[in-house]
Amino acid sequence: MIKIDYKIETKLIKKLLETENITKIKKRKLSHKLIFKKQDFADIYFFSGNIQKEDEKKLQNAKKIVVNSNKLKDKLIEVFDFESSKVEVIYPSISVKTFNETQKKEFLEKYEISNEDKIVLFTAKDFKNSGVKEFIELIKKINYKYTKFVIAGNKRQISNLKFLTSKYDFGNKVVYLEDFGNIDLLFYICDIFVLPTQKKSFASSIIKAMYYKSAVFIPRTNSASEVVDIFATMNRYDDGSTPFKIDALLGRNEDLVLIKNDNFNIAKEFTLNKNYSKVMTILQNV
């Protein structure tokens, strides 16, 4: 029986626990501590986030550690002096849906978006720290004529944003979506997804956008930048060169299509089933 432990129960973890010979390690009870019962440790520890005191023994005693970025791997090796082979990197898994051009056409008609228009998307659970203000600044600097900007969030986020942007003369070039139920469809229909986030943890929405053939822009401080081309990597969340890069890309359709296809070829390696197979390969060597 293979024993695993984790900080966050992801879709990949759930799928692993459905496998017959894989089980979650039992949490140590207080009574076990009182009688000095030997602590049990996992064969594989799926680690994410910041290192806390209770993580140290688990990390040191696990046979293998799986993390979701090379940045986190480097950090663990630096702090604990682990051999590189002990820490494996598996980027976040994505579950994807199938869409067709009819659904895209219906969306464009509903929101009065022309087929000529290129769509630049922003969506996040945390607008403030994910860069909505920087996205608004970007809108002001994009000059490409046939551009629509789509911003999707919950009702409160969109209401606040409409109030903040009322002083700008955006006209009909911005589409605000409240509680839109199918975010995957937005990734499918958009041409460019921009996430000028200040967060460092891996933004899995980047991989999802890439899978649906969007060009993406993300700051290098976010771990998701590891899967993104240098051209699409922002130096900072407020990188002043980003609007000019996007403007240029919007006007060069051949380059945009090339980036979209390259992104899809990268992201298809991170589907849930493929990541499951990667873990099973690791298990063979435990």
Side-chain angles (χ1 to χ4, degrees):
M1 185 68 71
I2 300 292
K3 296 173 290 184
I4 67 172
D5 200 0
Y6 47 86
K7 294 194 74 175
I8 299 174
E9 188 179 61
T10 62
K11 291 179 181 179
L12 177 59
I13 297 292
K14 289 179 180 179
K15 187 173 177 66
L16 287 169
L17 291 174
E18 293 171 359
T19 307
E20 187 175 351
N21 66 329
I22 298 177
T23 185
K24 183 187 185 302
I25 200 162
K26 293 180 180 179
K27 188 175 181 180
R28 198 180 189 202
K29 297 179 181 178
L30 178 60
S31 59
H32 294 162
K33 297 178 183 179
L34 293 174
I35 63 174
F36 301 103
K37 184 176 179 179
K38 186 178 179 181
Q39 186 172 354
D40 200 11
F41 295 102
D43 296 300
I44 297 185
Y45 185 32
F46 292 84
F47 180 78
S48 58
N50 297 318
I51 302 170
Q52 298 175 336
K53 190 172 182 180
E54 60 266 28
D55 298 320
E56 294 183 8
K57 279 189 177 181
K58 294 180 179 181
L59 290 164
Q60 290 169 337
N61 288 280
K63 294 176 183 176
K64 284 279 188 181
I65 301 165
V66 174
V67 295
N68 65 9
S69 70
N70 281 298
K71 288 182 181 179
L72 187 51
K73 175 178 179 174
D74 292 343
K75 183 178 180 180
L76 292 182
I77 291 173
E78 179 184 352
V79 172
F80 297 104
D81 198 28
F82 290 145
E83 292 290 331
S84 179
S85 58
K86 179 171 180 172
V87 188
E88 302 279 356
V89 176
I90 296 180
Y91 291 120
S93 307
I94 54 168
S95 297
V96 293
K97 301 175 184 177
T98 301
F99 299 104
N100 57 54
E101 287 303 298
T102 299
Q103 290 167 287
K104 180 176 181 178
K105 183 180 178 182
E106 290 173 352
F107 179 91
L108 297 181
E109 288 178 352
K110 181 176 180 179
Y111 295 100
E112 299 179 345
I113 300 173
S114 167
N115 287 325
E116 290 183 285
D117 290 328
K118 296 289 193 302
I119 297 175
V120 182
L121 171 68
F122 174 87
T123 185
K125 291 181 179 178
D126 177 2
F127 266 28
K128 181 179 179 181
N129 292 315
S130 295
V132 71
K133 288 185 178 180
E134 287 70 30
F135 188 77
I136 295 302
E137 289 300 311
L138 182 146
I139 294 174
K140 291 157 61 178
K141 295 173 183 176
I142 296 294
N143 295 314
Y144 187 74
K145 183 178 179 181
Y146 302 105
T147 309
K148 290 285 187 179
F149 299 90
V150 174
I151 303 176
N154 62 43
K155 186 175 182 178
R156 182 178 179 183
Q157 289 170 330
I158 296 300
S159 295
N160 290 339
L161 191 60
K162 284 181 177 178
F163 176 77
L164 288 173
T165 58
S166 60
K167 59 186 175 181
Y168 304 121
D169 185 21
F170 286 155
N172 63 352
K173 69 179 181 179
V174 180
V175 177
Y176 300 94
L177 299 177
E178 292 183 3
D179 297 322
F180 192 82
N182 196 345
I183 298 299
D184 283 36
L185 177 62
L186 299 183
F187 290 130
Y188 175 76
I189 63 100
C190 82
D191 296 284
I192 299 176
F193 174 53
V194 187
L195 191 68
T197 181
Q198 296 182 45
K199 296 180 178 181
K200 295 181 179 180
S201 57
F202 201 111
S204 56
S205 57
I206 287 293
I207 294 181
K208 182 158 282 192
M210 290 169 68
Y211 182 89
Y212 288 118
K213 295 189 176 182
S214 289
V216 297
F217 284 82
I218 186 83
R220 67 174 66 256
T221 49
N222 187 278
S223 294
S225 63
E226 293 178 16
V227 300
V228 174
D229 185 84
I230 292 176
F231 174 78
T233 305
M234 303 162 64
N235 288 323
R236 285 172 45 91
Y237 64 92
D238 57 355
D239 186 346
S241 69
T242 302
F244 301 102
K245 285 184 177 182
I246 293 174
D247 220 3
L249 192 57
L250 289 169
R252 297 200 300 262
N253 194 59
E254 287 185 6
D255 291 342
L256 181 58
V257 171
L258 180 63
I259 290 173
K260 286 181 170 190
N261 290 330
D262 286 346
N263 281 351
F264 169 72
N265 288 327
I266 293 169
K268 69 182 182 181
E269 297 303 316
F270 310 129
T271 61
L272 182 59
N273 287 336
K274 288 203 172 183
N275 276 354
Y276 175 81
S277 296
K278 292 171 191 173
V279 175
M280 298 308 288
T281 299
I282 294 170
L283 289 176
Q284 292 173 7
N285 299 314
V286 171

